[in-house]
Amino acid sequence: MSNTKTTSTGSKTFTSILAGAAKHPYIAAFMLCLILSMFFLGSVDNMGKYVPGIFFVFFCGLSAVIVSHICTEKKRSNFLTAILTAAVCAAGAPLFLLFSHTKNKILFLFAFCSIVILALYFAFFTKKLARRFNAMLIIGLGFVVKLCYVLGTSVYVRQHDTGWFGAKDEVIPGHLGYISYLFHNHSLYNGDYRRYLQYCHPPLHHSLCALWISFFNKVLGVKLDLAVESSQMLSLFWSMTIVITAYKIFRYFKLDGTALYVPLIITAFHPCFTFLSSIMNNDPLAWALTLGAMYSTLMWYREPTLKNIIRIAFCIGLGMMTKLSVGLIAPSVTIVFIAVLIKKRKDFHVKLLGQFAAFAAVCVPLGLWFPVRGLIRWGIPLTYVQELPEMTQTIKGTTFKERITDFSLYQFRRVFENWLSYDENGVPQSYNEHNPLIAFMKNSIFSEFIGEDNFSHYPFMLTVCKILFWLAAVIAAAAFIAMVVKLFRKCAADMVQKLFLISFHVILVGNLYMLSKNYTMVCSMNFRYIMPTVIIGSFFLGTTLISADKEGSTRAKAVKYTSYIAVMAFAVMSSLVYLMVVINQ
């Protein structure tokens, strides 16, 4: 009788925790990132001496819950339960002692977190909650990969235009310099910000980072350099909110089974979101709010209430307060607004106009106050883009037409992005990527920072990278074909929803091509400008698999298992690449 109560209590406790995390996933993700920040301060090298002990206590408590649950299921005695629990804890003790001294803490952390997630999954899995368990397994393992990459990546490594964190009396260019100015002065730079790189961006991301650093430095008493390093955990949180929102979008369309898990695996393990989780510029928050705007727009389309349209307004407004390019979603949102206005013109015409007015009243001030401030005070154009000096990465020598039509095979000999460099004798080496499609296919997987040097001790990884690149290319092509086909065929989305998603996809890609045309630098052809296309493409790929679980035909089974094999291989190789990058550095 006592066994049943013990297991029932443990099982119910875990199930309630799972339900709570599922009900409030963003809060759960933030609390997890905050707690881990206190343990590691953004880097595995900053791990406190007390952390292995805390992990061991957690391991013992978790072992007790799992062993008790299994023993009760098997109707074993309390005595055997206690013996087995003690044995598991004793067997784990040397491993945590090793964790304190090993140089490969990243590998230990990855193994420990993965085993914990898998143990909980297999111990408590129930068919009734199968979808929830499967989704949390995928998202959880994706989080572990991102966490390990973040803890192995400094705020000064593999970053975009960060500069460095300056002193109180310094105005340092770059994103970290911007954050340091806000941290020290508690106000925006009061001058023509065109003089300093990245100060042209609205300040939401940089302000939140400054607040985070202030909390760790001034409230918790953490050294400033460690507090700065810990701010990377905010990017990890934003990256996780993207995956969570993607799941919500997939479920909005009632994707389930293979149709849900395939796009979710692609999203959770896509290298672009792993890389995004560590970078200190404003992209992670910008895309997190963009995904929020996408989901809120879909919710408003289903239920056009004031509450839902205000959510869209805050997501877009705060997104533009992070990065003005978030406004690129506005035309696609307008399509939905117009469609609902036409559909509801008889019953809700006046009410909808009132909602649109409320939307504008919230979104416009939030999104435009910063550029308007710059225009009024210093005559800076509303659409000002930072001017870059002439650099070796320029591709001015090739016309735009030549660039977008050149698919010469020499560009595929190397799956990493190519940048022109010079040896010690001044002789040019390699070349600059010039075809936007090839460039962003390469840096979507490896960013612009990963290359052969990252795997100098593991040459087999170069073969893994090649396979990963071509597998990603096949998946991307399949997703694009699915998107085109489903535009003209019935699927989980109706025509308005399809136009909303596909138009945003087209706008993002079109904007990247225009950026590449107008700013003839290799860095202008970067996948970080179009990351939501992964989720849009994955969704349409998922819609093609809806019948895979329902049909019993040989063809349906072949499609189902081929899809799983492809995305699981993609997930494993993507994880391996980014883990090896931080291990080998």
Side-chain angles (χ1 to χ4, degrees):
M1 196 69 142
S2 59
N3 281 353
T4 304
K5 288 181 179 179
T6 302
T7 287
S8 176
T9 301
S11 180
K12 284 182 178 179
T13 299
F14 177 73
T15 303
S16 64
I17 292 173
L18 178 67
K23 188 175 181 180
H24 305 288
Y26 301 111
I27 295 174
F30 179 77
M31 293 306 298
L32 183 59
C33 289
L34 181 61
I35 292 168
L36 290 169
S37 297
M38 296 179 181
F39 289 163
F40 296 101
L41 295 174
S43 172
V44 73
D45 295 328
N46 298 332
M47 183 181 78
K49 293 181 180 179
Y50 58 86
V51 172
I54 292 176
F55 274 37
F56 179 62
V57 171
F58 173 75
F59 170 76
C60 292
L62 191 65
S63 298
V65 171
I66 292 175
V67 171
S68 175
H69 174 74
I70 293 173
C71 285
T72 303
E73 290 289 313
K74 301 294 183 181
K75 298 183 179 179
R76 301 293 187 259
S77 67
N78 285 339
F79 178 74
L80 180 60
T81 300
I83 293 295
L84 289 175
T85 300
V88 172
C89 294
L95 297 177
F96 289 92
L97 184 63
L98 176 66
F99 183 36
S100 301
H101 300 95
T102 182
K103 293 181 179 179
N104 293 321
K105 289 183 173 63
I106 291 290
L107 277 181
F108 181 93
L109 192 64
F110 174 75
F112 173 72
C113 293
S114 299
I115 290 170
V116 165
I117 292 172
L118 289 169
L120 289 170
Y121 175 82
F122 287 111
F124 294 98
F125 178 86
T126 60
K127 289 185 178 180
K128 183 179 179 181
L129 299 173
R131 183 181 67 241
R132 186 171 291 177
F133 270 92
N134 292 335
M136 293 191 76
L137 175 66
I138 295 168
I139 295 173
L141 292 176
F143 173 78
V144 173
V145 174
K146 292 175 177 63
L147 172 65
C148 291
Y149 179 71
V150 168
L151 296 182
T153 302
S154 166
V155 291
Y156 297 105
V157 175
R158 292 183 292 276
Q159 301 288 344
H160 291 280
D161 307 316
T162 51
W164 65 95
F165 198 89
K168 185 173 183 178
D169 57 347
E170 293 181 304
V171 183
I172 305 297
H175 292 285
L176 277 178
Y178 194 172
I179 293 168
S180 69
Y181 187 91
L182 294 171
F183 170 80
H184 290 300
N185 297 281
H186 312 294
S187 64
L188 291 171
Y189 175 70
N190 194 25
D192 190 334
Y193 46 73
R194 286 174 291 189
R195 296 171 54 196
Y196 298 101
L197 189 67
Q198 306 310 329
Y199 282 58
C200 62
H201 287 289
L204 181 58
H205 158 73
H206 305 86
S207 299
L208 291 175
C209 286
L211 285 172
W212 178 281
I213 294 168
S214 295
F215 172 73
F216 274 82
N217 176 240
K218 297 176 180 178
V219 177
L220 300 184
V222 174
K223 291 181 179 179
L224 184 56
D225 58 335
L226 300 182
V228 172
E229 190 68 47
S230 75
S231 64
Q232 214 173 12
M233 298 297 282
L234 265 180
S235 295
L236 173 62
F237 169 63
W238 304 134
S239 185
M240 285 309 301
T241 64
I242 290 172
V243 178
I244 293 168
T245 307
Y247 172 76
K248 286 177 171 285
I249 291 173
F250 299 152
R251 285 298 301 148
Y252 171 89
F253 291 104
K254 294 183 171 56
L255 297 188
D256 202 356
T258 303
L260 171 64
Y261 303 139
V262 166
L264 186 59
I265 291 171
I266 294 172
T267 303
F269 290 93
H270 199 286
C272 77
F273 297 126
T274 302
F275 174 74
L276 189 74
S277 64
S278 74
I279 61 177
M280 288 301 298
N281 69 10
N282 49 3
D283 287 328
L285 178 55
W287 289 135
L289 289 167
T290 300
L291 263 291
M294 287 175 61
Y295 179 66
S296 298
T297 301
L298 291 169
M299 290 298 294
W300 182 84
Y301 176 70
R302 175 184 291 173
E303 188 179 355
T305 63
L306 180 62
K307 178 182 176 181
N308 284 335
I309 204 169
I310 291 298
R311 285 178 177 174
I312 306 171
F314 272 109
C315 285
I316 297 178
L318 292 174
M320 293 179 67
M321 198 169 143
T322 303
K323 194 171 186 178
L324 287 177
S325 58
V326 171
L328 289 171
I329 197 174
S332 300
V333 173
T334 302
I335 291 174
V336 178
F337 284 178
I338 293 172
V340 172
L341 185 61
I342 293 173
K343 183 180 179 181
K344 306 283 188 180
R345 61 186 179 276
K346 292 183 179 180
D347 301 324
F348 296 97
H349 189 270
V350 176
K351 185 181 291 186
L352 284 175
L353 291 179
Q355 288 189 24
F356 296 152
F359 171 85
V362 172
C363 184
V364 174
L366 282 176
L368 295 179
W369 72 265
F370 184 80
V372 169
R373 170 180 176 267
L375 175 65
I376 294 173
R377 299 189 66 176
W378 302 288
I380 301 173
L382 290 176
T383 56
Y384 172 75
V385 177
Q386 196 94 49
E387 297 177 6
L388 296 175
E390 194 69 29
M391 294 183 283
T392 55
Q393 63 161 293
T394 183
I395 45 181
K396 286 182 178 178
T398 309
T399 66
F400 186 65
K401 182 180 179 180
E402 291 173 329
R403 288 167 51 202
I404 64 175
T405 57
D406 181 13
F407 290 92
S408 304
L409 292 180
Y410 76 89
Q411 297 175 83
F412 298 98
R413 292 174 188 164
R414 184 172 182 268
V415 296
F416 307 112
E417 190 170 85
N418 290 282
W419 289 60
L420 178 64
S421 60
Y422 296 88
D423 63 16
E424 61 275 8
N425 299 316
V427 178
Q429 303 294 310
S430 190
Y431 67 93
N432 281 328
E433 294 287 354
H434 53 271
N435 186 309
L437 180 59
I438 297 174
F440 69 65
M441 274 301 299
K442 289 182 177 181
N443 59 50
S444 70
I445 306 301
F446 306 109
S447 76
E448 62 186 50
F449 301 109
I450 296 177
E452 290 85 355
D453 292 344
N454 293 101
F455 310 106
S456 56
H457 299 305
Y458 308 97
F460 74 92
M461 285 300 301
L462 299 180
T463 300
V464 173
C465 288
K466 289 179 182 177
I467 297 173
L468 175 60
F469 173 79
W470 288 109
L471 178 58
V474 170
I475 293 173
F480 180 76
I481 292 170
M483 184 173 66
V484 174
V485 170
K486 290 300 180 180
L487 177 61
F488 302 101
R489 292 186 181 180
K490 185 178 179 180
C491 75
D494 65 23
M495 183 54 68
V496 174
Q497 294 164 334
K498 286 190 282 190
L499 287 176
F500 169 61
L501 296 172
I502 293 175
S503 65
F504 187 42
H505 187 289
V506 171
I507 288 170
L508 287 174
V509 175
N511 180 68
L512 181 62
Y513 270 83
M514 290 305 298
L515 186 68
S516 173
K517 179 183 178 182
N518 297 330
Y519 300 91
T520 51
M521 301 280 186
V522 179
C523 64
S524 67
M525 302 179 293
N526 199 290
F527 194 77
R528 65 192 178 96
Y529 298 124
I530 59 170
M531 285 184 178
T533 59
V534 170
I535 293 158
I536 296 171
S538 297
F539 161 71
F540 283 103
L541 189 61
T543 61
T544 66
L545 299 170
I546 290 176
S547 61
D549 293 322
K550 298 177 181 179
E551 295 182 11
S553 65
T554 302
R555 177 182 172 278
K557 290 180 179 179
V559 170
K560 175 181 177 179
Y561 293 125
T562 301
S563 300
Y564 274 126
I565 291 170
V567 297
M568 289 179 70
F570 174 79
V572 170
M573 288 189 287
S574 169
S575 303
L576 183 60
V577 166
Y578 278 79
L579 287 173
M580 296 302 281
V581 164
V582 294
I583 291 170
N584 191 49
Q585 64 186 2

